[in-house]
Amino acid sequence: MWITRLFSHKEEEMPWLGFSLSQNHSCADYIFNFDVRRKENGRYYVTGECRNAKGSLCTAEKGIRLKKPTVEALRHLHLEQLPEAKPQKIEDLMILDAPTRSFSIQYSDGRMEAKTIPEEMFLDIVHRLEAYF
């Protein structure tokens, strides 16, 4: 009986259904977008596109299932606790080809919320997701 309970531990669901992460850049090698979503089966999948080390475009439209260590790493980042992004002021002098990044979370009620994410965390998530492509 105790062994059944030990191995039947159900994972806690995260307080969000998914998130979107993207970067636009003047160099195509640094452009990517990823969407992570929880499906009906409770598992998380990533879709999106990025370029590999050789510069070839890699895409995943159907979704690639995230492995348990990746899901656990995302869980421990507490993405839902990141501060809400504030609209940026349009500067008098704007660099048109400057890289731009975006990160938003989708909650279980369907609401999408743009978040401000530290660069180190952003890059950590990107590297984890790129490994699936």
Side-chain angles (χ1 to χ4, degrees):
M1 182 76 146
W2 66 271
I3 201 150
T4 305
R5 277 187 260 147
L6 177 69
F7 290 106
S8 67
H9 173 66
K10 189 175 180 180
E11 291 182 19
E12 287 181 41
E13 286 188 353
M14 291 186 242
W16 42 265
L17 288 177
F19 63 85
S20 297
L21 174 80
S22 66
Q23 176 174 281
N24 284 321
H25 198 279
S26 59
C27 179
D29 289 348
Y30 301 111
I31 297 173
F32 57 81
N33 67 69
F34 300 113
D35 286 309
V36 172
R37 296 286 178 254
R38 182 174 66 222
K39 295 204 175 174
E40 297 81 32
N41 62 8
R43 295 195 170 106
Y44 291 86
Y45 293 80
V46 61
T47 58
E49 64 181 37
C50 63
R51 298 212 176 251
N52 64 17
K54 295 179 183 178
S56 300
L57 184 63
C58 301
T59 62
E61 295 177 10
K62 288 186 177 182
I64 302 167
R65 182 177 160 195
L66 297 180
K67 296 178 181 174
K68 196 171 190 169
T70 304
V71 173
E72 286 303 312
L74 293 171
R75 180 185 323 281
H76 291 297
L77 291 176
H78 301 286
L79 300 173
E80 70 282 355
Q81 294 178 7
L82 291 171
E84 191 173 343
K86 296 187 176 156
Q88 293 183 346
K89 297 178 190 175
I90 297 177
E91 305 277 336
D92 292 334
L93 178 61
M94 186 190 247
I95 302 172
L96 297 177
D97 62 350
T100 57
R101 292 179 175 168
S102 68
F103 180 78
S104 58
I105 291 180
Q106 180 183 13
Y107 292 98
S108 56
D109 61 4
R111 174 176 51 99
M112 290 289 286
E113 186 175 277
K115 297 284 194 173
T116 301
I117 184 169
E119 183 170 356
E120 301 80 26
M121 186 183 291
F122 184 89
L123 294 175
D124 178 50
I125 296 170
V126 169
H127 292 303
R128 289 177 190 279
L129 297 179
E130 280 178 333
Y132 288 91
F133 289 79

